[in-house]
Amino acid sequence: MKLRLIALLWVTFAVVGTWASDSVVWHHPVVGYTHSIVEVTKVVLHADRTEVSCHVHYPSGYWIQILRTTELQADGRNFPVRDASGIPLGERYTMPESDEVDFTLTFDAVPLGTVKMNLVEPGGWAVYNIRPEDYRPEGMEDTYWRDVRTGDWFIGFSGDGVIYDGKVWSVVSRDERKDGRGQWVIAYGGEQLAVEVGKEKRGTRRITVGKKPVVECSLITGAALPDYPVGDLREGFKDNGYRADDSVTLMGWMKDMPAEAWEKGRSVEILRNNIFTDKQESFVAAMDSTGRFSVRVPLVNTSEIYIDIGRKGINTVVEPGETYFLLHDFSTGHVLFMGEDVRFQNELQTHPPLYVDGYLRKGQGTVDEFRTQMEDKYRHAVEELSRRVEAHPHLSRRYRYFMESFALTGLGRSMMQARFAVPDWQLPEDYVDFVRTKVWQRPSKPYTLCQNFGILMRDYIGHSSKAKDKARGNAVFNAFKRLRQQGEISMTEEEANTVEAYRLAIKELQEKLNAEPSDSLRQRMVVEFGKSDLGQRFISLFKRFEDVLNEEVLADNIDFWKENAESAGCDSILCQIHLARNLYRQIDNIRKPLPDRMMAKAEREIRLEGGWDIVSREQEKYVAIQNRDLSGVGSLKSAEDVKDVTGGEALLRKLTEPYRGKLVLLDIWGTWCRPCKEALSHSHALFERMRPYGVVFLYLANGSAEDSWKNVIKQYDVLGDNVVHYNLPDDQQQAIEQYLGVNSFPSYRLIGVDGHVLDVNADPRNLDALEGLVKRLVLPEQ
């Protein structure tokens, strides 16, 4: 009787206390889902108003705007915004140099008993399912429990399933009281388990699964796991030696996604950087109707990855050979990892990475000012990490190591990216020396641990090798000289003078490009230089000796790349990664296999299984492409068809004459042009969309070797009854480009049914706009 009386008095005092108070404060609210840059940091419910404090991290110089239509949604009602402090309401606000702003929005009063709300700009951004961090629901529905002893996430309950042992079990039967006590029977893959849930006492419940020992569990109220109860002194991450056949398995549940989240696709995307290709790779896992997924992602080593970047964007690290289960509950806001060893992954969600990033833009500040700015950001990150460790002494050593590495790598990447904003891409010596001693000589290991390291590596070695590359001279000119001296190529004195004159002209052009701030003008200068008489004479010479020149250049490049990596202070592992990167890029650029002797030399140098696998597979891909027979394919036309035609206008009319009465989409591209090849990779989507309109596709290649030209066409299967390709002699190609005023690549023109070039924007990279244009021309009455 005494205990009941005490409980009754406690409830009475609690209720009276709520009545007496004129406000309820959510200090660290949890957000279920947002597709906004607005972060809700605090909510205060007053009797006469509701205040929502927000934080925005966005690049300086850009503007944001909070419209006067913004509202809170709660209990089926809408509560309009009244006012704002820290930012003007309804007006554009330009982000300061700090990239951050804090502001508070005041709304009509939401009922004090509210435990969930949405912050919405109708027709615009939204923050869904905002709730108090310490909210404890009645019963077991949508609750997640951790093992009090180990600190790991143990089990989760939902009407749609029970999460246990890294799997979502279906509910066979459920006998639950209002307070959550009861029995559940769950099933997965033919196995059934009984789950016994005890009464909550002092914030914990005793939960038994099957014949396993009883586990004392506490409710996970925040978005992520609270601190682990004991320290973890393990150091370092798994290092498999950069294998070619390792992987990680990711399973999970994107639970209770709102319609806006489903609209972003019915799959989960995982992004990771491939250190050997220097590219970000995407892996997609299809979700079932409830949001569950499973995917196996190849890994060359322990790697930082991003999961579901289009919705939540979960940043974590995965190790090869492991299996991880991820829950993102869009209703409660929980983001939790379950698995054999997921302490570090959960710590990253509780204490997110400390970003040290910034960009030096041309004409916006000096290098020294940018260095000071980045040093300040790094210092703040270090201070924040120190505060975290002091406040949370059980944070694992692996967490501390990663966070230190993450901040340092971000500092180095940002500082080296600044080279693209300075003349000739050359940073001051003391600036680079700072990066070398502060960052480069303290890399995280394995080298795949931080995604930014790959970019830092490319920029640091690239910068340090630029001066050597200048001293070495252009490899092509050196190859011309060596091969002529060795008698492997024969040139007249006049032709040798053309090569030397071109070398000097290139040097002069580079100086002009460095002094020109406009990217469009720089591109035009390059195009005009290529069209010059000297440029055309050199290209003709190069094509004459192309195969032997390329082989000589590649032989020289392998030694040069290795020397650059070693002089930049790379160890054996990094040297091999650098060689693999450059060989992969070389094959990708020329779009044809490397000579056999070059591959033999590369195999001797690259002993990392993962690195050699990347290079050899790329080689094999282009061997197969090159061996594909195109004889009899009508899409490839011979330049002989127009050999006697001169003048750009006459040439173009001759090429398009067979297609009068149809629209012709002209694509001027080159095998050397990366954006051109990227656009060609989407050719089938273009062909499919244009099929109803009878469009003919005419492709003219600029400065492209015959083998590479054919290989790109074969690789992307740019073929069909209405597809035509020409690789014209340089003089004819230049005549057409001059007639059309081509000064960038790829360039597109739409030619009307009468053979005249139309003054319209016909870029197939915007398919919707192109289809609308073509439809109006072909079906004007519609």
Side-chain angles (χ1 to χ4, degrees), residues 59-121:
S60 63
Y62 288 79
W63 60 267
I64 61 174
Q65 186 176 22
I66 306 297
L67 298 183
R68 294 183 179 276
T69 55
T70 302
E71 62 189 21
L72 287 179
Q73 298 174 348
D75 296 331
R77 297 165 55 195
N78 299 333
F79 302 84
V81 66
R82 293 181 185 174
D83 198 3
S85 61
I87 188 172
L89 187 61
E91 299 177 19
R92 291 185 177 184
Y93 173 81
T94 302
M95 292 297 295
E97 288 186 5
S98 65
D99 302 338
E100 297 180 294
V101 63
D102 292 288
F103 57 92
T104 298
L105 303 177
T106 302
F107 298 83
D108 283 356
V110 172
L112 293 179
T114 299
V115 294
K116 187 176 288 189
M117 64 178 67
N118 302 327
L119 173 59
V120 177
E121 178 192 285

Side-chain angles (χ1 to χ4, degrees), residues 316-330:
T316 191
V317 172
V318 292
E319 297 182 279
E322 299 295 329
T323 297
Y324 302 91
F325 181 92
L326 166 66
L327 168 78
H328 179 194
D329 189 323
F330 287 70

Side-chain angles (χ1 to χ4, degrees), residues 303-338:
S303 301
E304 180 189 358
I305 65 170
Y306 287 89
I307 304 173
D308 205 33
I309 194 73
R311 280 175 281 250
K312 170 72 174 178
I314 298 167
N315 177 216
T316 191
V317 172
V318 292
E319 297 182 279
E322 299 295 329
T323 297
Y324 302 91
F325 181 92
L326 166 66
L327 168 78
H328 179 194
D329 189 323
F330 287 70
S331 176
T332 66
H334 287 93
V335 178
L336 304 169
F337 280 91
M338 183 180 284

Side-chain angles (χ1 to χ4, degrees), residues 149-181:
R149 183 182 61 84
T150 66
D152 284 318
W153 174 28
F154 178 66
I155 196 167
F157 294 91
S158 164
D160 298 326
V162 171
I163 305 169
Y164 172 71
D165 192 30
K167 299 181 280 287
V168 181
W169 299 64
S170 60
V171 178
V172 177
S173 64
R174 174 179 176 178
D175 180 12
E176 183 185 359
R177 300 182 185 180
K178 188 175 181 180
D179 64 1
R181 287 183 296 164

Side-chain angles (χ1 to χ4, degrees), residues 488-553:
E488 294 188 42
I489 62 174
S490 176
M491 291 191 300
T492 66
E493 197 63 34
E494 182 180 357
E495 289 170 337
N497 290 338
T498 294
V499 173
E500 177 62 15
Y502 188 82
R503 184 185 71 81
L504 295 173
I506 281 284
K507 183 178 180 181
E508 182 181 348
L509 173 65
Q510 188 60 57
E511 292 173 355
K512 292 179 180 178
L513 291 174
N514 291 337
E516 175 54 61
S518 169
D519 289 337
S520 60
L521 287 179
R522 285 160 59 95
Q523 188 175 37
R524 185 176 300 174
M525 290 163 64
V526 172
V527 171
E528 290 175 354
F529 180 80
K531 293 178 179 178
S532 68
D533 177 64
L534 176 61
Q536 291 303 297
R537 284 189 284 121
F538 176 81
I539 290 174
S540 178
L541 272 174
F542 179 81
K543 284 189 172 182
R544 195 165 105 205
F545 306 115
E546 182 174 9
D547 289 340
V548 66
L549 280 170
N550 280 336
E551 192 163 330
E552 183 71 13
V553 167

Side-chain angles (χ1 to χ4, degrees), residues 105-303:
L105 303 177
T106 302
F107 298 83
D108 283 356
V110 172
L112 293 179
T114 299
V115 294
K116 187 176 288 189
M117 64 178 67
N118 302 327
L119 173 59
V120 177
E121 178 192 285
W125 57 273
V127 183
Y128 292 104
N129 297 326
I130 309 166
R131 67 171 176 86
E133 184 182 35
D134 57 357
Y135 173 66
R136 303 179 72 88
E138 293 185 9
M140 300 297 288
E141 189 79 15
D142 293 334
T143 63
Y144 306 99
W145 299 81
R146 69 190 300 230
D147 185 326
V148 171
R149 183 182 61 84
T150 66
D152 284 318
W153 174 28
F154 178 66
I155 196 167
F157 294 91
S158 164
D160 298 326
V162 171
I163 305 169
Y164 172 71
D165 192 30
K167 299 181 280 287
V168 181
W169 299 64
S170 60
V171 178
V172 177
S173 64
R174 174 179 176 178
D175 180 12
E176 183 185 359
R177 300 182 185 180
K178 188 175 181 180
D179 64 1
R181 287 183 296 164
Q183 289 184 331
W184 302 52
V185 177
I186 59 177
Y188 184 90
E191 181 183 5
Q192 283 196 2
L193 291 174
V195 180
E196 186 85 24
V197 179
K199 182 179 180 180
E200 186 167 356
K201 296 179 180 179
R202 293 186 296 276
T204 67
R205 291 182 187 271
R206 293 168 65 84
I207 301 176
T208 307
V209 180
K211 296 181 179 179
K212 299 280 186 177
V214 64
V215 176
E216 186 177 0
C217 297
S218 61
L219 181 67
I220 304 170
T221 57
L225 280 180
D227 290 347
Y228 278 74
V230 293
D232 182 357
L233 302 182
R234 290 177 300 163
E235 295 184 348
F237 291 84
K238 186 182 294 187
D239 188 339
N240 68 354
Y242 304 90
R243 289 176 51 181
D245 58 352
D246 245 328
S247 65
V248 62
T249 300
L250 296 171
M251 303 171 66
W253 193 1
M254 299 294 155
K255 182 177 174 294
D256 293 338
M257 288 200 300
E260 289 84 349
W262 278 110
E263 287 172 2
K264 294 183 179 293
R266 295 187 171 268
S267 61
V268 175
E269 183 181 31
I270 292 92
L271 299 176
R272 72 150 173 80
N273 285 355
N274 187 323
I275 198 166
F276 291 116
T277 65
D278 196 22
K279 292 180 178 178
Q280 188 173 70
E281 297 178 343
S282 170
F283 303 88
V284 176
M287 292 187 291
D288 67 14
S289 60
T290 68
R292 301 174 199 176
F293 68 92
S294 178
V295 63
R296 178 177 170 270
V297 178
L299 283 185
V300 296
N301 217 327
T302 295
S303 301

